[in-house]
Amino acid sequence: MLLDAPMRSRLDRLALNGKRRVRGVWSGRNRSVRLGESLDFADYREYFPGDDFRRIDYNLWARLGVVLVRLFEAEDEMPVSVIVDTSASMGLGDKFPTAQRLAAMVTYLALASGERVRLLTVPALGKPSLTGPWARHVATWPRLEGWLEALTPAGGTDLAAAARLMATPGAHRGPVVLVSDLLTTDWGGALDLLGALGGGAVLHVLDPTELEPELTGDLTLRDVETGRELQVSVSDAALERYRKRLTRFRQDAAARTKRAGMDYVAVRAAPDALDLTLRHLVAGGWVR
Amino acid sequence: MGAVSLLAPAALGLLALSVPLVVMYMLRSRRRGVDVTSTLLWEDEKEFVSAALPWQRLRITAAMVLQLLALALFALVLSRPFFRETTLLGPHTVLIVDTSGSMALAARLDAAKTEMRTLVAEASAEQLISIVEAGPRARVLAAFSRDPGQLAGIVAGLVAGGGTEDLEGALRLARGLATPDRPTTVLFLSDGGPAQVLEEPVSDARHLVFDATGDNVAITGLGTNPVGEGPARIFVEVASFSSHTATVDVSLTVDDLEVGMVAMTLPPGERRREVVAVDAGPGQVVEAAVVAAADANPLDDTAAVVLTGTAALGVTVVGEGSPFLDALLLATPGVTVPEGRPPDVVIVDGGSPDVVDRPAWLIRPETPPDGVRLEGVVDNPLITFARTGEPLLEGLDLAQVAIARADIVAAPGWLPILSAGEAPLILLGEIDGHRVVYFTFDLVASNLPVQVSFPILGSRILDWLGGTRLGTAATADAGTPLALTPPQGSSSRVKTPDGSVVEVPAGVIEFTLADQPGVYRVDYVAADGSIAPGSIVTRRFAVGEAAGASRRIAVTEPVAAAGEEATLVREWAPALIALLLLLVLVEWWVAFGRPRLRRRVVTA
């Protein structure tokens, strides 16, 4: 079970807050980019034959002698896409369990808010296709939870391909929540594409052993995704340089995410990661 | 400290192990494979190495430096570095320390004790040390000891006495301590000048001179005339050994009660004598003490005598006589002119003694007595000789005595105690078993009667002729044992000048711990606990010690190993081993103690 009952109960009292107008297919509770049937006044326009008489503003007609009809905001559902990185690099330590629970949290939050949610995994290298279930009602949560629990990290993934597929014309546009360690070479371009879809958030999950590696001596480092080997001599100075590069990497990721219109949350893989992430999202206004 | 040498230089060959040690650091270590999530962040640490080359560039690390240092130290320890240290100590060293009175001057003995402590401290565990005290009675204080604590305690207990050192006795003891199987070195620690020894088996002898000096004023004489009726006349002589004029007060006490104070001004090297009349009687102790602001030797600043009584002495003057003799007889306590009975002593002033049938004082008789031959006359004789140690002349200043004319006599068997060249002026002898004092000059033809010394000399002559030598109890230099005469079954109890009480077991008739000058009071303790007062005896500071130097030691060349520098081989091994252990600890700390260098198993 990815989310226990207390956590679900807590999420039931919260709701996702789309920072942008959405372009949904079905009506919902989020301000849409188009005009519709809600009670929120949007504008006037000149009457054209065939318009609904009930929208004519008779007061204006009486005062000004011009026949105008009232226009109202539309409210659509917010199609939320949750992308889980299932690359082998996520299999280190508590990273993937943490990523599963984070994805589950966002998914449940969207379902509880009445939004449409699609769960996706980053496609494997050379297999450019996105697969994952759609769901809209919280009653579908057990199915989505089972799908998430069945995920296993393995092999290499292509985050850029996933972003390109998401940005395909005609695809549903909406906020994207990416749960990944971003340990890939093309993460920057992918974030730009994903951000253009409607904002969202990047939950950057790193394990403590990545943040503070406990390595020393002459080592052969093997990349678990690519199998590439690297000869290094790890000394105090080398560790210090690594820490500086890691800090710069996270700063770059945060800046790039912000530039793409998304929120960035650095997550340390740990049992309390859910609470901390939720606080960040609330503080950032993405959840209310 | 000499140059460092090695006892086992071959062990330095172990330094060759440093080559394989360095080579091991140059060998490429087998790299451990570690799975990481990504190598992206490690790209900059990539090393371009070739798996075909087993070598890598030598990197100087703390561990390698420490291991090389440890190896070097290990080789150095095994090579047993040592240095030769010149030392006064031999395999067996006899320290002869002078504790005579002169060593109390200017803290000479303290300096000697400091030197002894240094020698004891630098002695190795294989070196034996014996200590012989050269006081008035030579004593072996420690024999063949290698216990620094015991030796330090003995050194701390050394105290300068008031006597003259018995160096010959100390040397005999040192030779007795020498053993054939172990070369023995003798070190003299005294103020007496250079000395060397002597005979086998002593191999070497050195003399450490402690001749610090300082301004010293000493009481060199204290005596009295026989006490009879009237006040006792105390004779005090004070000498200055200072380099400048000293003004001192001499206090006189009788049984610890101050009875007088005499002020004296003493030019450098001069002596002053005073006669002070004090109200004291037989059995009382008269003490004199110099009261000086600063004095280099406190031991010679006091002196004490015990007054004795004398029986009435009948003296008759025969011949011309003189007012001086009459005054002398009047002033000398206990001397009377017998009426109706034969005199005890006869004074023949001029004239011819027919028969000497009793002690007589002959003053230039017209006819010399038997055994004395008149050979001529000398005018204005100049005193050139005064017999040293003669009790009659002790402390008397006769340098100012002028004599107009004296007889030149030949007196075989007589003892001249005062002479002017070949002409004796005062002789002592016996005629028919009677003591005789012979003056070869007339008193009225000299200024002797007007000298301060005359009443003392006259009373001593009468006392000697009458059978009693002096008006004070017998005294001797410090260090002379006290004679104990305890009743049968009684022990003796001696109170020494410093106030301590020494119990002497019954049967012991000699108290040898009399090195300190001053008053010794002897009581006898019977078996039932009753105490009978014994004698009161004084010991004086040896006058010769006051001048500030002990006797020179007769020197003979050392027999063996003369002039060789005594050397001591000291190894550095203990210090190096300690350093090695410290280094190993540091290496351990560097390898395992520092958290940042701690090796951990990486879990990927």
Side-chain angles (χ1 to χ4, degrees), chain A residues 92 210 214-215 218 220 222-224 228 231-233 241 245, chain B residues 29 31-32 34-37 39 41-43 45 47 600 602:
Chain A
L92 178 70
E210 293 171 317
E214 296 175 345
L215 303 174
D218 296 333
T220 299
R222 281 191 300 272
D223 193 317
V224 293
R228 183 167 178 266
Q231 313 283 345
V232 297
S233 291
R241 290 193 295 272
R245 283 194 295 272
Chain B
S29 61
R31 292 176 181 270
R32 199 155 42 92
V34 176
D35 289 340
V36 295
T37 55
T39 56
L41 295 175
W42 292 100
E43 283 293 337
E45 302 298 327
E47 290 184 342
R600 291 181 180 172
V602 176

PDB file of all heavy atoms in Angstrom, chain A residues 92 210 214-215 218 220 222-224 228 231-233 241 245, chain B residues 29 31-32 34-37 39 41-43 45 47 600 602:
ATOM      1  N   LEU A  92      18.306   2.668  -6.863  1.00  0.00           N
ATOM      2  CA  LEU A  92      19.281   2.751  -5.776  1.00  0.00           C
ATOM      3  C   LEU A  92      18.616   3.151  -4.462  1.00  0.00           C
ATOM      4  O   LEU A  92      17.864   4.131  -4.411  1.00  0.00           O
ATOM      5  CB  LEU A  92      20.353   3.773  -6.132  1.00  0.00           C
ATOM      6  CG  LEU A  92      21.421   3.998  -5.069  1.00  0.00           C
ATOM      7  CD1 LEU A  92      22.325   2.783  -4.945  1.00  0.00           C
ATOM      8  CD2 LEU A  92      22.227   5.240  -5.383  1.00  0.00           C
ATOM      9  N   GLU A 210      23.737   9.290  -2.926  1.00  0.00           N
ATOM     10  CA  GLU A 210      24.147  10.170  -4.026  1.00  0.00           C
ATOM     11  C   GLU A 210      24.501  11.552  -3.507  1.00  0.00           C
ATOM     12  O   GLU A 210      25.400  12.214  -4.024  1.00  0.00           O
ATOM     13  CB  GLU A 210      23.021  10.282  -5.053  1.00  0.00           C
ATOM     14  CG  GLU A 210      22.761   8.993  -5.784  1.00  0.00           C
ATOM     15  CD  GLU A 210      21.505   9.073  -6.638  1.00  0.00           C
ATOM     16  OE1 GLU A 210      20.495   9.628  -6.133  1.00  0.00           O
ATOM     17  OE2 GLU A 210      21.524   8.590  -7.765  1.00  0.00           O
ATOM     18  N   GLU A 214      29.804   7.682   0.084  1.00  0.00           N
ATOM     19  CA  GLU A 214      30.831   7.200   1.018  1.00  0.00           C
ATOM     20  C   GLU A 214      31.785   6.302   0.248  1.00  0.00           C
ATOM     21  O   GLU A 214      31.787   5.079   0.397  1.00  0.00           O
ATOM     22  CB  GLU A 214      30.172   6.458   2.174  1.00  0.00           C
ATOM     23  CG  GLU A 214      29.296   7.374   3.011  1.00  0.00           C
ATOM     24  CD  GLU A 214      28.556   6.622   4.090  1.00  0.00           C
ATOM     25  OE1 GLU A 214      28.514   5.376   3.997  1.00  0.00           O
ATOM     26  OE2 GLU A 214      28.024   7.260   4.997  1.00  0.00           O
ATOM     27  N   LEU A 215      32.543   6.930  -0.595  1.00  0.00           N
ATOM     28  CA  LEU A 215      33.494   6.205  -1.436  1.00  0.00           C
ATOM     29  C   LEU A 215      34.888   6.695  -1.118  1.00  0.00           C
ATOM     30  O   LEU A 215      35.085   7.848  -0.743  1.00  0.00           O
ATOM     31  CB  LEU A 215      33.199   6.454  -2.921  1.00  0.00           C
ATOM     32  CG  LEU A 215      31.792   6.102  -3.403  1.00  0.00           C
ATOM     33  CD1 LEU A 215      31.631   6.550  -4.853  1.00  0.00           C
ATOM     34  CD2 LEU A 215      31.545   4.605  -3.293  1.00  0.00           C
ATOM     35  N   ASP A 218      40.846   3.956  -4.917  1.00  0.00           N
ATOM     36  CA  ASP A 218      40.792   3.778  -6.361  1.00  0.00           C
ATOM     37  C   ASP A 218      39.621   2.863  -6.700  1.00  0.00           C
ATOM     38  O   ASP A 218      39.560   1.724  -6.244  1.00  0.00           O
ATOM     39  CB  ASP A 218      42.100   3.171  -6.853  1.00  0.00           C
ATOM     40  CG  ASP A 218      43.262   4.106  -6.605  1.00  0.00           C
ATOM     41  OD1 ASP A 218      43.028   5.332  -6.546  1.00  0.00           O
ATOM     42  OD2 ASP A 218      44.406   3.627  -6.454  1.00  0.00           O
ATOM     43  N   THR A 220      36.445   1.602  -9.654  1.00  0.00           N
ATOM     44  CA  THR A 220      35.867   1.562 -10.991  1.00  0.00           C
ATOM     45  C   THR A 220      34.363   1.744 -10.829  1.00  0.00           C
ATOM     46  O   THR A 220      33.668   0.876 -10.284  1.00  0.00           O
ATOM     47  CB  THR A 220      36.165   0.229 -11.682  1.00  0.00           C
ATOM     48  OG1 THR A 220      37.577   0.087 -11.813  1.00  0.00           O
ATOM     49  CG2 THR A 220      35.506   0.181 -13.048  1.00  0.00           C
ATOM     50  N   ARG A 222      30.659   1.896 -12.093  1.00  0.00           N
ATOM     51  CA  ARG A 222      29.848   1.354 -13.197  1.00  0.00           C
ATOM     52  C   ARG A 222      28.479   2.009 -13.189  1.00  0.00           C
ATOM     53  O   ARG A 222      27.773   1.997 -12.160  1.00  0.00           O
ATOM     54  CB  ARG A 222      29.684  -0.161 -13.035  1.00  0.00           C
ATOM     55  CG  ARG A 222      30.873  -0.962 -13.483  1.00  0.00           C
ATOM     56  CD  ARG A 222      30.523  -2.435 -13.539  1.00  0.00           C
ATOM     57  NE  ARG A 222      30.109  -2.933 -12.230  1.00  0.00           N
ATOM     58  CZ  ARG A 222      30.918  -3.409 -11.316  1.00  0.00           C
ATOM     59  NH1 ARG A 222      32.229  -3.471 -11.568  1.00  0.00           N
ATOM     60  NH2 ARG A 222      30.463  -3.836 -10.155  1.00  0.00           N
ATOM     61  N   ASP A 223      28.117   2.594 -14.317  1.00  0.00           N
ATOM     62  CA  ASP A 223      26.798   3.220 -14.460  1.00  0.00           C
ATOM     63  C   ASP A 223      25.759   2.106 -14.597  1.00  0.00           C
ATOM     64  O   ASP A 223      25.833   1.286 -15.516  1.00  0.00           O
ATOM     65  CB  ASP A 223      26.798   4.134 -15.689  1.00  0.00           C
ATOM     66  CG  ASP A 223      25.580   5.032 -15.715  1.00  0.00           C
ATOM     67  OD1 ASP A 223      24.473   4.526 -15.431  1.00  0.00           O
ATOM     68  OD2 ASP A 223      25.732   6.228 -16.016  1.00  0.00           O
ATOM     69  N   VAL A 224      24.788   2.070 -13.705  1.00  0.00           N
ATOM     70  CA  VAL A 224      23.836   0.942 -13.713  1.00  0.00           C
ATOM     71  C   VAL A 224      22.890   1.014 -14.909  1.00  0.00           C
ATOM     72  O   VAL A 224      22.250   0.028 -15.250  1.00  0.00           O
ATOM     73  CB  VAL A 224      23.017   0.922 -12.413  1.00  0.00           C
ATOM     74  CG1 VAL A 224      23.900   0.596 -11.227  1.00  0.00           C
ATOM     75  CG2 VAL A 224      22.288   2.235 -12.208  1.00  0.00           C
ATOM     76  N   ARG A 228      28.467   1.881 -18.353  1.00  0.00           N
ATOM     77  CA  ARG A 228      29.755   2.543 -18.594  1.00  0.00           C
ATOM     78  C   ARG A 228      30.598   2.503 -17.323  1.00  0.00           C
ATOM     79  O   ARG A 228      30.090   2.647 -16.222  1.00  0.00           O
ATOM     80  CB  ARG A 228      29.487   3.991 -19.002  1.00  0.00           C
ATOM     81  CG  ARG A 228      30.711   4.782 -19.352  1.00  0.00           C
ATOM     82  CD  ARG A 228      30.322   6.084 -20.033  1.00  0.00           C
ATOM     83  NE  ARG A 228      31.483   6.869 -20.344  1.00  0.00           N
ATOM     84  CZ  ARG A 228      31.967   7.823 -19.568  1.00  0.00           C
ATOM     85  NH1 ARG A 228      31.337   8.098 -18.439  1.00  0.00           N
ATOM     86  NH2 ARG A 228      33.049   8.498 -19.891  1.00  0.00           N
ATOM     87  N   GLN A 231      37.135   5.037 -14.284  1.00  0.00           N
ATOM     88  CA  GLN A 231      38.214   4.859 -13.306  1.00  0.00           C
ATOM     89  C   GLN A 231      38.406   6.166 -12.542  1.00  0.00           C
ATOM     90  O   GLN A 231      38.710   7.200 -13.131  1.00  0.00           O
ATOM     91  CB  GLN A 231      39.535   4.508 -14.009  1.00  0.00           C
ATOM     92  CG  GLN A 231      39.418   3.426 -15.051  1.00  0.00           C
ATOM     93  CD  GLN A 231      39.320   2.043 -14.420  1.00  0.00           C
ATOM     94  OE1 GLN A 231      39.611   1.877 -13.250  1.00  0.00           O
ATOM     95  NE2 GLN A 231      38.888   1.065 -15.210  1.00  0.00           N
ATOM     96  N   VAL A 232      38.237   6.088 -11.287  1.00  0.00           N
ATOM     97  CA  VAL A 232      38.405   7.309 -10.480  1.00  0.00           C
ATOM     98  C   VAL A 232      39.197   6.952  -9.218  1.00  0.00           C
ATOM     99  O   VAL A 232      39.237   5.810  -8.779  1.00  0.00           O
ATOM    100  CB  VAL A 232      37.064   7.931 -10.069  1.00  0.00           C
ATOM    101  CG1 VAL A 232      36.276   8.378 -11.269  1.00  0.00           C
ATOM    102  CG2 VAL A 232      36.257   6.946  -9.243  1.00  0.00           C
ATOM    103  N   SER A 233      39.821   7.975  -8.695  1.00  0.00           N
ATOM    104  CA  SER A 233      40.456   7.867  -7.381  1.00  0.00           C
ATOM    105  C   SER A 233      39.737   8.840  -6.467  1.00  0.00           C
ATOM    106  O   SER A 233      39.805  10.051  -6.648  1.00  0.00           O
ATOM    107  CB  SER A 233      41.942   8.225  -7.470  1.00  0.00           C
ATOM    108  OG  SER A 233      42.627   7.234  -8.180  1.00  0.00           O
ATOM    109  N   ARG A 241      34.913  17.982  -4.639  1.00  0.00           N
ATOM    110  CA  ARG A 241      34.552  18.431  -5.995  1.00  0.00           C
ATOM    111  C   ARG A 241      33.216  17.814  -6.426  1.00  0.00           C
ATOM    112  O   ARG A 241      32.397  18.473  -7.071  1.00  0.00           O
ATOM    113  CB  ARG A 241      35.670  18.045  -6.980  1.00  0.00           C
ATOM    114  CG  ARG A 241      36.949  18.826  -6.793  1.00  0.00           C
ATOM    115  CD  ARG A 241      37.891  18.632  -7.973  1.00  0.00           C
ATOM    116  NE  ARG A 241      38.350  17.256  -8.097  1.00  0.00           N
ATOM    117  CZ  ARG A 241      39.423  16.769  -7.493  1.00  0.00           C
ATOM    118  NH1 ARG A 241      40.167  17.553  -6.729  1.00  0.00           N
ATOM    119  NH2 ARG A 241      39.776  15.523  -7.671  1.00  0.00           N
ATOM    120  N   ARG A 245      29.814  19.723  -7.673  1.00  0.00           N
ATOM    121  CA  ARG A 245      29.127  19.470  -8.943  1.00  0.00           C
ATOM    122  C   ARG A 245      27.666  19.091  -8.699  1.00  0.00           C
ATOM    123  O   ARG A 245      26.777  19.506  -9.443  1.00  0.00           O
ATOM    124  CB  ARG A 245      29.846  18.339  -9.692  1.00  0.00           C
ATOM    125  CG  ARG A 245      31.115  18.762 -10.368  1.00  0.00           C
ATOM    126  CD  ARG A 245      31.591  17.710 -11.352  1.00  0.00           C
ATOM    127  NE  ARG A 245      31.969  16.479 -10.688  1.00  0.00           N
ATOM    128  CZ  ARG A 245      33.169  16.228 -10.205  1.00  0.00           C
ATOM    129  NH1 ARG A 245      34.119  17.145 -10.322  1.00  0.00           N
ATOM    130  NH2 ARG A 245      33.439  15.090  -9.614  1.00  0.00           N
TER     131      ARG A 245
ATOM    132  N   SER B  29      46.834  -0.199  -7.482  1.00  0.00           N
ATOM    133  CA  SER B  29      46.016  -1.098  -6.676  1.00  0.00           C
ATOM    134  C   SER B  29      44.864  -1.639  -7.514  1.00  0.00           C
ATOM    135  O   SER B  29      44.419  -1.017  -8.476  1.00  0.00           O
ATOM    136  CB  SER B  29      45.462  -0.357  -5.464  1.00  0.00           C
ATOM    137  OG  SER B  29      44.643   0.706  -5.905  1.00  0.00           O
ATOM    138  N   ARG B  31      41.433  -2.048  -8.540  1.00  0.00           N
ATOM    139  CA  ARG B  31      40.315  -1.158  -8.256  1.00  0.00           C
ATOM    140  C   ARG B  31      39.072  -1.942  -7.886  1.00  0.00           C
ATOM    141  O   ARG B  31      38.781  -2.969  -8.482  1.00  0.00           O
ATOM    142  CB  ARG B  31      40.026  -0.268  -9.465  1.00  0.00           C
ATOM    143  CG  ARG B  31      41.128   0.726  -9.724  1.00  0.00           C
ATOM    144  CD  ARG B  31      40.866   1.530 -10.969  1.00  0.00           C
ATOM    145  NE  ARG B  31      41.955   2.461 -11.201  1.00  0.00           N
ATOM    146  CZ  ARG B  31      41.984   3.689 -10.723  1.00  0.00           C
ATOM    147  NH1 ARG B  31      40.972   4.111  -9.985  1.00  0.00           N
ATOM    148  NH2 ARG B  31      42.986   4.479 -10.968  1.00  0.00           N
ATOM    149  N   ARG B  32      38.386  -1.404  -6.980  1.00  0.00           N
ATOM    150  CA  ARG B  32      37.143  -2.010  -6.529  1.00  0.00           C
ATOM    151  C   ARG B  32      36.016  -1.503  -7.426  1.00  0.00           C
ATOM    152  O   ARG B  32      35.950  -0.304  -7.740  1.00  0.00           O
ATOM    153  CB  ARG B  32      36.915  -1.569  -5.077  1.00  0.00           C
ATOM    154  CG  ARG B  32      35.954  -2.403  -4.284  1.00  0.00           C
ATOM    155  CD  ARG B  32      36.292  -2.249  -2.793  1.00  0.00           C
ATOM    156  NE  ARG B  32      36.602  -0.872  -2.438  1.00  0.00           N
ATOM    157  CZ  ARG B  32      35.680  -0.022  -1.991  1.00  0.00           C
ATOM    158  NH1 ARG B  32      34.445  -0.412  -1.856  1.00  0.00           N
ATOM    159  NH2 ARG B  32      36.030   1.217  -1.669  1.00  0.00           N
ATOM    160  N   VAL B  34      32.335  -0.455  -8.179  1.00  0.00           N
ATOM    161  CA  VAL B  34      31.195   0.065  -7.424  1.00  0.00           C
ATOM    162  C   VAL B  34      30.103   0.481  -8.418  1.00  0.00           C
ATOM    163  O   VAL B  34      30.387   1.194  -9.386  1.00  0.00           O
ATOM    164  CB  VAL B  34      31.614   1.277  -6.579  1.00  0.00           C
ATOM    165  CG1 VAL B  34      30.404   1.859  -5.874  1.00  0.00           C
ATOM    166  CG2 VAL B  34      32.686   0.884  -5.589  1.00  0.00           C
ATOM    167  N   ASP B  35      28.892   0.011  -8.219  1.00  0.00           N
ATOM    168  CA  ASP B  35      27.769   0.425  -9.059  1.00  0.00           C
ATOM    169  C   ASP B  35      27.232   1.761  -8.568  1.00  0.00           C
ATOM    170  O   ASP B  35      26.968   1.935  -7.374  1.00  0.00           O
ATOM    171  CB  ASP B  35      26.653  -0.622  -8.994  1.00  0.00           C
ATOM    172  CG  ASP B  35      27.045  -1.902  -9.730  1.00  0.00           C
ATOM    173  OD1 ASP B  35      27.974  -1.822 -10.574  1.00  0.00           O
ATOM    174  OD2 ASP B  35      26.456  -2.955  -9.441  1.00  0.00           O
ATOM    175  N   VAL B  36      27.107   2.676  -9.488  1.00  0.00           N
ATOM    176  CA  VAL B  36      26.535   3.980  -9.144  1.00  0.00           C
ATOM    177  C   VAL B  36      25.369   4.251 -10.084  1.00  0.00           C
ATOM    178  O   VAL B  36      25.260   3.666 -11.155  1.00  0.00           O
ATOM    179  CB  VAL B  36      27.589   5.100  -9.251  1.00  0.00           C
ATOM    180  CG1 VAL B  36      28.679   4.904  -8.239  1.00  0.00           C
ATOM    181  CG2 VAL B  36      28.177   5.153 -10.662  1.00  0.00           C
ATOM    182  N   THR B  37      24.508   5.140  -9.668  1.00  0.00           N
ATOM    183  CA  THR B  37      23.322   5.443 -10.474  1.00  0.00           C
ATOM    184  C   THR B  37      23.695   6.101 -11.775  1.00  0.00           C
ATOM    185  O   THR B  37      23.031   5.908 -12.789  1.00  0.00           O
ATOM    186  CB  THR B  37      22.387   6.359  -9.692  1.00  0.00           C
ATOM    187  OG1 THR B  37      23.126   7.514  -9.284  1.00  0.00           O
ATOM    188  CG2 THR B  37      21.845   5.654  -8.469  1.00  0.00           C
ATOM    189  N   THR B  39      27.294   7.990 -13.875  1.00  0.00           N
ATOM    190  CA  THR B  39      28.671   8.473 -13.834  1.00  0.00           C
ATOM    191  C   THR B  39      28.761   9.922 -14.279  1.00  0.00           C
ATOM    192  O   THR B  39      29.858  10.465 -14.408  1.00  0.00           O
ATOM    193  CB  THR B  39      29.557   7.604 -14.735  1.00  0.00           C
ATOM    194  OG1 THR B  39      28.999   7.599 -16.054  1.00  0.00           O
ATOM    195  CG2 THR B  39      29.638   6.184 -14.207  1.00  0.00           C
ATOM    196  N   LEU B  41      28.131  12.740 -12.844  1.00  0.00           N
ATOM    197  CA  LEU B  41      28.742  13.689 -11.923  1.00  0.00           C
ATOM    198  C   LEU B  41      30.183  13.322 -11.579  1.00  0.00           C
ATOM    199  O   LEU B  41      30.846  14.045 -10.845  1.00  0.00           O
ATOM    200  CB  LEU B  41      27.917  13.772 -10.634  1.00  0.00           C
ATOM    201  CG  LEU B  41      26.507  14.331 -10.821  1.00  0.00           C
ATOM    202  CD1 LEU B  41      25.731  14.255  -9.525  1.00  0.00           C
ATOM    203  CD2 LEU B  41      26.577  15.763 -11.312  1.00  0.00           C
ATOM    204  N   TRP B  42      30.650  12.180 -12.055  1.00  0.00           N
ATOM    205  CA  TRP B  42      32.027  11.766 -11.772  1.00  0.00           C
ATOM    206  C   TRP B  42      32.939  11.947 -12.979  1.00  0.00           C
ATOM    207  O   TRP B  42      34.106  11.577 -12.931  1.00  0.00           O
ATOM    208  CB  TRP B  42      32.052  10.294 -11.344  1.00  0.00           C
ATOM    209  CG  TRP B  42      31.416  10.031 -10.007  1.00  0.00           C
ATOM    210  CD1 TRP B  42      30.173   9.550  -9.791  1.00  0.00           C
ATOM    211  CD2 TRP B  42      32.000  10.260  -8.727  1.00  0.00           C
ATOM    212  NE1 TRP B  42      29.923   9.456  -8.453  1.00  0.00           N
ATOM    213  CE2 TRP B  42      31.043   9.892  -7.767  1.00  0.00           C
ATOM    214  CE3 TRP B  42      33.224  10.753  -8.283  1.00  0.00           C
ATOM    215  CZ2 TRP B  42      31.276   9.992  -6.411  1.00  0.00           C
ATOM    216  CZ3 TRP B  42      33.450  10.834  -6.927  1.00  0.00           C
ATOM    217  CH2 TRP B  42      32.480  10.473  -6.006  1.00  0.00           C
ATOM    218  N   GLU B  43      32.378  12.502 -14.038  1.00  0.00           N
ATOM    219  CA  GLU B  43      33.174  12.591 -15.267  1.00  0.00           C
ATOM    220  C   GLU B  43      34.479  13.335 -15.071  1.00  0.00           C
ATOM    221  O   GLU B  43      35.517  12.961 -15.608  1.00  0.00           O
ATOM    222  CB  GLU B  43      32.351  13.277 -16.369  1.00  0.00           C
ATOM    223  CG  GLU B  43      31.313  12.394 -17.014  1.00  0.00           C
ATOM    224  CD  GLU B  43      31.926  11.263 -17.815  1.00  0.00           C
ATOM    225  OE1 GLU B  43      33.089  11.385 -18.238  1.00  0.00           O
ATOM    226  OE2 GLU B  43      31.242  10.240 -18.007  1.00  0.00           O
ATOM    227  N   GLU B  45      36.352  13.438 -12.651  1.00  0.00           N
ATOM    228  CA  GLU B  45      37.361  12.714 -11.872  1.00  0.00           C
ATOM    229  C   GLU B  45      37.968  11.567 -12.659  1.00  0.00           C
ATOM    230  O   GLU B  45      38.775  10.806 -12.132  1.00  0.00           O
ATOM    231  CB  GLU B  45      36.720  12.148 -10.591  1.00  0.00           C
ATOM    232  CG  GLU B  45      36.082  13.173  -9.706  1.00  0.00           C
ATOM    233  CD  GLU B  45      37.083  14.187  -9.193  1.00  0.00           C
ATOM    234  OE1 GLU B  45      38.255  13.813  -8.974  1.00  0.00           O
ATOM    235  OE2 GLU B  45      36.700  15.370  -9.042  1.00  0.00           O
ATOM    236  N   GLU B  47      40.115   9.161 -14.617  1.00  0.00           N
ATOM    237  CA  GLU B  47      41.554   9.009 -14.771  1.00  0.00           C
ATOM    238  C   GLU B  47      41.827   8.236 -16.041  1.00  0.00           C
ATOM    239  O   GLU B  47      41.233   7.179 -16.263  1.00  0.00           O
ATOM    240  CB  GLU B  47      42.151   8.247 -13.585  1.00  0.00           C
ATOM    241  CG  GLU B  47      42.132   9.039 -12.304  1.00  0.00           C
ATOM    242  CD  GLU B  47      42.816   8.287 -11.202  1.00  0.00           C
ATOM    243  OE1 GLU B  47      42.979   7.056 -11.336  1.00  0.00           O
ATOM    244  OE2 GLU B  47      43.180   8.922 -10.206  1.00  0.00           O
ATOM    245  N   ARG B 600      34.922   2.413   4.305  1.00  0.00           N
ATOM    246  CA  ARG B 600      33.608   1.805   4.519  1.00  0.00           C
ATOM    247  C   ARG B 600      33.262   0.920   3.325  1.00  0.00           C
ATOM    248  O   ARG B 600      33.748   1.110   2.221  1.00  0.00           O
ATOM    249  CB  ARG B 600      32.535   2.889   4.662  1.00  0.00           C
ATOM    250  CG  ARG B 600      32.669   3.692   5.929  1.00  0.00           C
ATOM    251  CD  ARG B 600      31.575   4.705   5.984  1.00  0.00           C
ATOM    252  NE  ARG B 600      31.674   5.502   7.178  1.00  0.00           N
ATOM    253  CZ  ARG B 600      30.924   6.579   7.395  1.00  0.00           C
ATOM    254  NH1 ARG B 600      30.046   6.965   6.496  1.00  0.00           N
ATOM    255  NH2 ARG B 600      31.058   7.261   8.500  1.00  0.00           N
ATOM    256  N   VAL B 602      31.034   0.013   0.472  1.00  0.00           N
ATOM    257  CA  VAL B 602      30.066   0.760  -0.307  1.00  0.00           C
ATOM    258  C   VAL B 602      28.931  -0.164  -0.719  1.00  0.00           C
ATOM    259  O   VAL B 602      29.154  -1.236  -1.258  1.00  0.00           O
ATOM    260  CB  VAL B 602      30.745   1.357  -1.544  1.00  0.00           C
ATOM    261  CG1 VAL B 602      29.725   2.067  -2.419  1.00  0.00           C
ATOM    262  CG2 VAL B 602      31.841   2.292  -1.108  1.00  0.00           C
TER     263      VAL B 602
END
